[in-house]
Amino acid sequence: LILIGVLLLLRNAEVFNDNFWADLLLWFPVVLIAVGIEKIFAKSRAKIVSYLTSVLLFVGGLYIAFAGSRGDTTGSFFSKSTFSQNYDPSVSAVHAVVDLDDADLTIRDSGDELVYGQFDRFTRKPRIDYEVSGSEARVKLTSRPQSLLGGAVRIDTDEAQDWYLRFARNVPLEIECSGHESDLHLNFSTTPLRRLKLDADDAEIYLKLGDQEHLVEVEIAGQDSNLRLRVPQTVGLKVFGEDYKAYLVRVGLLADNGGFVTPGFDTLPTKIEVRLDDRLGSFSIDFF
C-alpha cells in the first residue's frame, strides 16, 4: 500500500509516466509470493525474513517503475506518444537500431529533427535509448511485449500496432531493423541513407531509396518475406542475389562480378548496392 501511494505521488509529480503500470501487472505474481513468505515467517524465529521480504518488494517495485517509465515523458498506454531529438550541429551521423518484434513500421520523409517517432495508443511504448558518442548519435528502440502475466493476458485492439519514424534530412543515417510478421513501409527517398540492414521474417516490405548519398548499401534477409524495391532511374543499381538471376536479367540488369547492375553503373555518381537473402518469398524492382 505504501508503494502504490509513493508511485501515485511520483506519477502526479510527473517523475514517472504511465508506462510502468503494465510492467507492475506483469510482475504482480511476485506480490502474492511475497505475501505468502511473509505469512510463513511472521511468527517464527526467522521473522527477519518477513521484514526483508517487504523491503525487497518495495525496492523492486520502485525499480520496475523507473525502468518502465523510460522513453517519452508524456505518453501512456492509453494515448499516442511521441519521441523527438532536435537537430544538433555537433552530430554528423545517426546510427539507429530498431527492434520491432511484430509491430509495423512506417518511415516517413525526412524532417528537421535528428530522430522523431510516434507510437499508437493502446500499445506498449518501446524502450528508447539515446546517446551521442563523438559526432555520432545512437538511438535504439526496443519493443516491449504486448502481453501481461506471462502471456495469460494478451492485449489486442482494433488499432494498428504501428511505429512511425523519420530522420534528419541533412544528417547521414545508418539503420539496423529486425522483426517478424511486420508490415514495413520504408521511404528513404529524402533521407541521406548510407546503410540499411533489415532482417524480418514473414514480412511485407516496401522500400523506397533515394539519391542523397553517393553510395547506399542495403542488406535484406527474411524467411518468406515479400520485398518491393523502388529506386530512382538516375542511380546505378547493383543487386547481389544469384537466386533472382532470371528476374534481374528480365528487368534489364547485366551480370557483373557476382552481381547484376543497371547499364552505365560505373559511370553514375550515385550507386546503390543491394544484397538479398535467398529465402525471400518474392522480390520486385520498380524504377521511378
Side-chain angles (χ1 to χ4, degrees):
L1 292 176
I2 294 173
L3 174 62
I4 292 174
V6 169
L7 294 177
L8 288 172
L9 283 174
L10 293 175
R11 171 62 186 91
N12 293 340
E14 297 185 351
V15 176
F16 294 155
N17 59 36
D18 287 320
N19 292 342
F20 70 90
W21 293 113
D23 292 316
L24 289 180
L25 283 174
L26 178 66
W27 289 100
F28 182 75
V30 176
V31 176
L32 301 179
I33 296 172
V35 170
I37 293 175
E38 191 273 337
K39 292 295 184 183
I40 291 173
F41 290 96
K43 296 183 180 180
S44 70
R45 293 181 179 180
K47 65 170 56 179
I48 185 65
V49 174
S50 64
Y51 297 141
L52 289 176
T53 300
S54 298
V55 172
L56 291 174
L57 188 65
F58 185 85
V59 173
L62 284 178
Y63 173 80
I64 291 171
F66 272 106
S69 294
R70 298 189 64 176
D72 69 283
T73 58
T74 58
S76 73
F77 181 84
F78 300 98
S79 65
K80 287 188 176 181
S81 64
T82 60
F83 169 80
S84 180
Q85 284 292 335
N86 293 330
Y87 174 74
D88 182 348
S90 67
V91 172
S92 60
V94 174
H95 184 95
V97 177
V98 182
D99 175 10
L100 289 168
D101 194 15
D102 59 355
D104 298 335
L105 172 64
T106 297
I107 293 184
R108 296 168 170 165
D109 288 342
S110 56
D112 296 327
E113 308 91 341
L114 280 177
V115 185
Y116 175 85
Q118 179 177 299
F119 313 99
D120 283 337
R121 59 174 60 89
F122 303 122
T123 63
R124 296 288 306 279
K125 307 307 182 284
R127 171 173 175 166
I128 303 173
D129 297 300
Y130 178 84
E131 66 175 0
V132 176
S133 178
S135 60
E136 182 181 68
R138 299 175 181 268
V139 59
K140 183 176 183 180
L141 295 91
T142 307
S143 63
R144 297 169 182 262
Q146 298 293 329
S147 59
L148 302 174
L149 302 180
V153 178
R154 182 172 176 83
I155 302 170
D156 288 316
T157 71
D158 293 332
E159 296 278 340
Q161 310 294 300
D162 278 342
W163 296 7
Y164 299 93
L165 299 176
R166 70 170 178 254
F167 298 91
R169 65 171 56 93
N170 57 353
V171 181
L173 170 68
E174 294 189 6
I175 180 170
E176 301 175 40
C177 182
S178 62
H180 62 89
E181 299 181 357
S182 300
D183 188 355
L184 307 175
H185 188 100
L186 312 179
N187 184 352
F188 293 106
S189 59
T190 62
T191 303
L193 177 69
R194 285 182 176 172
R195 185 172 182 267
L196 166 65
K197 183 176 182 181
L198 175 61
D199 189 349
D201 294 335
D202 299 307
E204 296 294 328
I205 306 168
Y206 170 85
L207 175 59
K208 185 177 182 180
L209 302 173
D211 56 2
Q212 308 298 312
E213 289 291 307
H214 295 302
L215 176 62
V216 181
E217 297 178 302
V218 176
E219 183 178 342
I220 299 178
Q223 179 77 40
D224 296 327
S225 292
N226 300 318
L227 169 64
R228 181 187 176 191
L229 175 65
R230 299 197 70 198
V231 295
Q233 295 180 355
T234 56
V235 309
L237 173 65
K238 186 170 188 177
V239 179
F240 295 91
E242 186 66 27
D243 291 276
Y244 309 99
K245 176 179 179 179
Y247 171 74
L248 294 170
V249 171
R250 188 164 65 249
V251 297
L253 274 66
L254 310 172
D256 179 77
N257 294 327
F260 300 86
V261 299
T262 51
F265 174 81
D266 292 329
T267 64
L268 294 171
T270 300
K271 297 177 176 61
I272 296 176
E273 295 184 357
V274 179
R275 297 182 182 274
L276 298 178
D277 185 3
D278 60 6
R279 301 174 301 154
L280 291 176
S282 68
F283 165 60
S284 65
I285 300 176
D286 295 326
F287 295 94
F288 65 94

